Amino acid sequence: MGFLTGKKFLITGLASERSISWGVAQAMQREGAELALTYQTEKLRPRVEKLAEKCGANIVLPCDVSADEEINGLFDKLGNSWTELDGVIHAIAFVNRRALEGDYVENTSRKDFNVAHEISSYSFTALARAGREMMQGRGAMVTMSYLGAERAMPNYNVMGVAKASLEANVRYMANSLGPDGIRVNAVSAGPIRTLAASGITDFKKMIDEVEKNAPMRRNVTIEDVGNTTAFLCSDLAAGITGEVLYVDSGYHILGMNPL
Ligand code: 0WE
C-alpha cells in the first residue's frame, strides 16, 4: 500500500509533461492518492485533461490565481466532489520575462515587482485561506522555491525577492495553520528544464554548473522533486512544518567551486 493511500490532493501549476507538478502528480498517484488538477487558462485545459487521464485524476478545474473569484470558485467546485481535502500543491510562479535578465536595480519596475510577488507568493496564502475549511485537522501544503530566494543569482532578479517572500510566507502560514492541523512546507529545487525555464538567458550554463560541481554531480529531475513533495504531504512527515527542504543534489551546501 502506498503512503498516500486514501488521501486527496489538489495540484496546481500543470503546463506540460515537463512541469514539476507533473512529477508531483505521478509520485502521488503511485503512492495511492486521489488527485484533482487545475489549469490556468482555457488554452491549457486540453493538455491538463490529457495529463489527468494519465494519472487517474477525475477532477480537472480552472484556476487562474490572479483572480480571487477563481480561487474561491475552485474550492466551491471541489466541494461538489470531495468533502475533505488532504493537501494542496502550489507550483506557480510568474514575472515579466524582461525582469529575468540584466541589472536588477535598473530593470525592476514597480509593476513587475508587484506582479511577481502577487502571483508567486500571495497566491499561496490565498489558496490556504480558501482551502482551510476543507483541510481542517489533516492538511499538508507544499510550494516550490529556488536557491535564488537566499542567494543573489545571475538574472533571477526580482523572482529571487518573490521566492524569499514565498519562503517567509511558508513560515507564517505554518504558524497560522498549525493549530488547525495543517502543515506548510517548501521544496527548494535545483534548476530543471521546464516550459518556465525555456529561453532563459544562460540556463544551460546553470545546468552545467550543477552537474560539474554539486556534491552528487548531477541535476535533479521532476521525479526527485515529486517524490520529496509526496513525502512532505504524507504522514511520514507529520512532524515537519514551516520547513524549506532542498532537492538540489546538495548544491546549496557549497561555499566555493574547486580552486
Ligand atoms: O522560478 C523559476 C522560473 C520562474 C519563471 C519563469 C518565467 C519565464 C517566462 C517565472 N516567470 C517567468 N516569466 C516568463 O515570462 N526558476 C527557478 C527557473 C529559473 O528561472 C531563472 C533561473 C532559474 C533557475 C531565471 C534566471 C536565472 C535562473
Side-chain angles (χ1 to χ4, degrees):
M1 268 233 303
F3 60 67
L4 295 177
T5 300
K7 290 185 185 284
K8 298 181 174 71
F9 295 95
L10 178 72
I11 302 181
T12 68
L14 278 154
S16 79
E17 293 203 27
R18 291 194 303 184
S19 294
I20 289 177
S21 51
W22 180 235
V24 176
Q26 289 178 103
M28 288 188 141
Q29 159 180 249
R30 186 193 70 224
E31 296 303 331
E34 265 185 79
L35 305 177
L37 312 181
T38 72
Y39 58 90
Q40 187 203 173
T41 60
E42 282 305 314
K43 202 179 138 195
L44 283 169
R45 181 182 188 151
R47 305 182 78 159
V48 174
E49 280 174 344
K50 202 160 90 202
L51 294 173
E53 234 172 89
K54 285 197 193 187
C55 70
N58 30 34
I59 306 173
V60 178
L61 299 165
C63 183
D64 181 336
V65 294
S66 64
D68 285 328
E69 320 83 71
E70 292 223 10
I71 293 176
N72 295 323
L74 168 64
F75 289 95
D76 288 345
K77 286 178 202 140
L78 195 60
N80 294 332
S81 306
W82 294 349
T83 50
E84 291 125 35
L85 180 62
D86 294 284
V88 175
I89 308 308
H90 176 268
I92 294 169
F94 183 76
V95 61
N96 189 326
R97 178 64 174 278
R98 283 191 313 266
L100 283 175
E101 59 191 19
D103 184 89
Y104 167 64
V105 170
E106 297 304 324
N107 233 352
T108 307
S109 69
R110 184 188 300 273
K111 170 85 191 216
D112 292 347
F113 187 101
N114 285 341
V115 167
H117 283 74
E118 182 180 337
I119 304 302
S120 312
S121 180
Y122 176 73
S123 63
F124 195 38
T125 312
L127 284 169
R129 188 167 56 256
R132 188 174 201 160
E133 199 156 284
M134 281 185 83
M135 289 190 286
Q136 271 302 322
R138 100 199 101 250
M141 301 188 67
V142 179
T143 187
M144 299 300 144
S145 193
Y146 177 62
L147 185 57
E150 279 202 88
R151 314 265 178 85
M153 304 292 270
N155 299 317
Y156 200 58
N157 295 358
V158 70
M159 199 55 231
V161 183
K163 288 298 193 190
S165 161
L166 179 65
E167 292 185 6
N169 211 338
V170 164
R171 293 184 281 274
Y172 279 87
M173 284 169 59
N175 198 37
S176 171
L177 299 174
D180 288 5
I182 303 170
R183 297 182 296 104
V184 185
N185 294 289
V187 168
S188 183
I192 300 177
R193 275 220 170 279
T194 64
L195 280 182
S198 69
I200 280 164
T201 311
D202 293 337
F203 198 80
K204 170 133 200 322
K205 286 186 188 166
M206 309 198 63
I207 294 273
D208 291 347
E209 155 75 13
V210 170
E211 185 172 313
K212 188 153 178 262
N213 294 305
M216 293 167 67
R217 301 288 193 273
R218 69 166 178 90
N219 279 279
V220 296
T221 63
I222 61 169
E223 286 76 21
D224 293 326
V225 176
N227 285 331
T228 298
T229 302
F231 157 73
L232 282 172
C233 287
S234 78
D235 296 338
L236 296 170
I240 305 178
T241 196
E243 189 60 278
V244 178
L245 199 46
Y246 284 82
V247 178
D248 69 342
S249 310
Y251 186 82
H252 75 105
I253 69 164
L254 297 175
M256 203 184 268
N257 285 340
L259 295 172

